[in-house]
Amino acid sequence: MSRALLRSALGLRAPVLRLTAPSVPRATPSLFTPAAAALPTTTAAVRFFNQTAQHVEPTQDPSVLLPSTPSSSSTTTAPSQQQQQQQPPTQQSQPRPLSPTVRALLPILAAQPGHYIRIHIHGRPFLVTEGDSLRLPFRLRGVQTGDVLRLDKASVLGSRDLTLKGAPYVDERLFTCRAVVTGVEAEPMRVMIKKKQRCRRKKHVRSKHRFTVLRICEVRVNGEVVDEA
Amino acid sequence: MTVRALQKISVARNGVGAFILQCKKMDFHYCDWAGSSKGMNGFIKSLLPKFAAAHPQIEFTVSPRPAKHPVIIAHYINGREKAVCVRNMEPFEILKKAELLRDASGEKLRRVTKPVSSINESVRGIWSPYHGEGMRV
């Protein structure tokens, strides 16, 4: 689905709120599936999460599909170097066509039973499979419990025998990864005692962080990818 | 030797098929007379109707509790409950506490160091030195 189509599907609130939207750091999960969009927000908080700009990397080389054998020989990386020489860096206005190796091996990757994926949220990598619970080390802003997020930044996507490595990210057309926000957890209150020598005074510094918990509800490799170009 | 079925209990993974909010009931207690309930009384009048309408999956009860501080008690699917005392708070502070209780899972708070918790078995299997092509020394 193109971004313009999704933006139009999300309704008119996106361009209005974009005036007040702060700049969000790169490599955020930028697509927001409005499964709970009908759910009215109880607070007047502006939800910035679906207004993040598309993060497009100036990639030089296409993502390379390597067979992951236990004894890694140097011959497997040979096609990637050829691909780098063939493809000059182009404008990122339209999606780049896939390399023939990826196109050939993608149905095999999709046909294998289990998949793992290394997704990036706010630049942090998390290696997950379908059904995993992911407790982020931070609180995700602009999401509510029950929202479904589409995570479109992944650096590695693989199965038992094949691994698709992105440079730095795998093309987002090749896979679908969705996560449900299941809630916000907290940790027990931490108390740090600050004490100086030869001084009776003790200072208790308390902190308690809150963490967003996601559940990876879908990891799918799109076996058939149609090039628009 | 008889063939015996594997005993396997299905493990709930909330969100994989359907997502169910873990908070099932919230009780709001107030006092008409006491000053510490001033914010709670304002919250019940102004903000609670909207909050309750936004969450049809939660049962809301409002009941007086004279000569006591106001409190919110949330009940969760796993049988636990969490109570937050909201004395002397403003209505919007109380709304934040209500949202905190709504988003909580009902579990005890504990420190978690690993971000991913999985019950799936390893996708790529366990590495073995005796299989494959071996390593040249």
Side-chain angles (χ1 to χ4, degrees):
Chain A
M1 184 190 287
S2 70
R3 289 196 60 77
L5 200 68
L6 186 73
R7 174 77 30 95
S8 63
L10 282 171
L12 293 172
R13 59 187 176 153
V16 178
L17 295 179
R18 198 186 302 160
L19 300 171
T20 58
S23 65
V24 179
R26 302 175 357 152
T28 55
S30 58
L31 284 179
F32 168 68
T33 311
L39 192 140
T41 51
T42 52
T43 58
V46 184
R47 307 189 58 193
F48 298 129
F49 207 76
N50 51 352
Q51 285 103 40
T52 55
Q54 168 97 44
H55 167 61
V56 180
E57 279 290 318
T59 48
Q60 306 287 319
D61 45 353
S63 44
V64 185
L65 198 60
L66 300 177
S68 61
T69 51
S71 63
S72 62
S73 59
S74 63
T75 55
T76 51
T77 53
S80 71
Q81 291 158 3
Q82 290 173 5
Q83 292 293 328
Q84 285 181 10
Q85 291 159 5
Q86 284 171 10
Q87 297 227 344
T90 53
Q91 289 292 321
Q92 291 295 317
S93 57
Q94 52 190 0
R96 269 180 318 111
L98 296 170
S99 71
T101 44
V102 172
R103 197 173 279 282
L105 288 171
L106 197 63
I108 305 171
L109 176 67
Q112 292 210 329
H115 293 107
Y116 67 93
I117 187 167
R118 187 157 74 201
I119 55 167
H120 287 247
I121 299 176
H122 288 321
R124 293 170 190 251
F126 301 99
L127 196 145
V128 294
T129 55
E130 190 172 310
D132 287 359
S133 175
L134 172 57
R135 179 170 135 155
L136 300 174
F138 44 83
R139 190 160 71 92
L140 212 53
R141 298 276 174 174
V143 297
Q144 277 191 339
T145 309
D147 284 353
V148 181
L149 313 176
R150 186 179 156 204
L151 308 169
D152 61 349
K153 289 285 168 287
S155 56
V156 171
L157 170 64
S159 64
R160 186 174 172 92
D161 299 327
L162 293 166
T163 301
L164 176 63
K165 289 185 181 175
Y169 295 115
V170 177
D171 193 334
E172 65 180 78
R173 292 171 293 166
L174 302 184
F175 67 94
T176 312
C177 180
R178 286 203 170 85
V180 186
V181 181
T182 52
V184 178
E185 277 184 9
E187 61 180 356
M189 178 79 84
R190 294 189 212 184
V191 180
M192 188 185 182
I193 299 173
K194 301 247 180 185
K195 164 87 172 63
K196 299 288 175 209
Q197 291 175 5
R198 297 173 293 282
C199 177
R200 297 178 182 178
R201 195 181 130 78
K202 277 186 198 168
K203 183 181 173 188
H204 289 248
V205 182
R206 294 162 198 277
S207 67
K208 186 172 178 178
H209 292 265
R210 296 171 71 191
F211 310 100
T212 302
V213 186
L214 305 178
R215 174 79 70 178
I216 309 295
C217 57
E218 184 182 2
V219 173
R220 200 182 68 225
V221 180
N222 301 331
E224 297 292 321
V225 176
V226 182
D227 269 338
E228 291 88 357
Chain B
M1 188 174 145
T2 54
V3 178
R4 303 176 74 186
L6 286 174
Q7 284 206 341
K8 179 95 177 172
I9 301 166
S10 68
V11 181
R13 293 194 286 184
N14 186 21
V16 173
F19 172 71
I20 292 166
L21 199 68
Q22 296 296 297
C23 180
K24 62 175 181 182
K25 185 183 176 195
M26 289 174 103
D27 301 334
F28 293 82
H29 295 289
Y30 67 98
C31 173
D32 274 326
W33 175 82
S36 63
S37 282
K38 210 174 110 187
M40 186 61 161
N41 295 346
F43 171 79
I44 290 169
K45 277 178 199 153
S46 59
L47 299 173
L48 184 59
K50 211 188 259 181
F51 185 76
H55 301 94
Q57 65 271 55
I58 305 176
E59 177 189 351
F60 287 90
T61 59
V62 179
S63 54
R65 212 174 62 134
K68 297 264 194 339
H69 285 312
V71 69
I72 306 176
I73 303 173
H75 303 263
Y76 295 91
I77 288 179
N78 62 359
R80 298 183 66 91
E81 61 179 50
K82 288 190 179 184
V84 176
C85 180
V86 290
R87 61 172 191 195
N88 299 326
M89 283 191 187
E90 299 293 317
F92 279 100
E93 291 175 73
I94 297 173
L95 181 68
K96 285 203 162 179
K97 290 290 179 194
E99 286 173 354
L100 182 144
L101 290 172
R102 175 201 65 192
D103 291 336
S105 66
E107 293 293 328
K108 261 194 156 180
L109 302 185
R110 56 171 58 96
R111 195 154 167 263
V112 177
T113 47
K114 298 262 193 297
V116 179
S117 63
S118 177
I119 58 170
N120 299 342
E121 59 183 38
S122 165
V123 172
R124 290 182 60 182
I126 299 166
W127 182 81
S128 162
Y130 305 114
H131 298 86
E133 293 168 17
M135 206 191 292
R136 280 273 169 81
V137 181

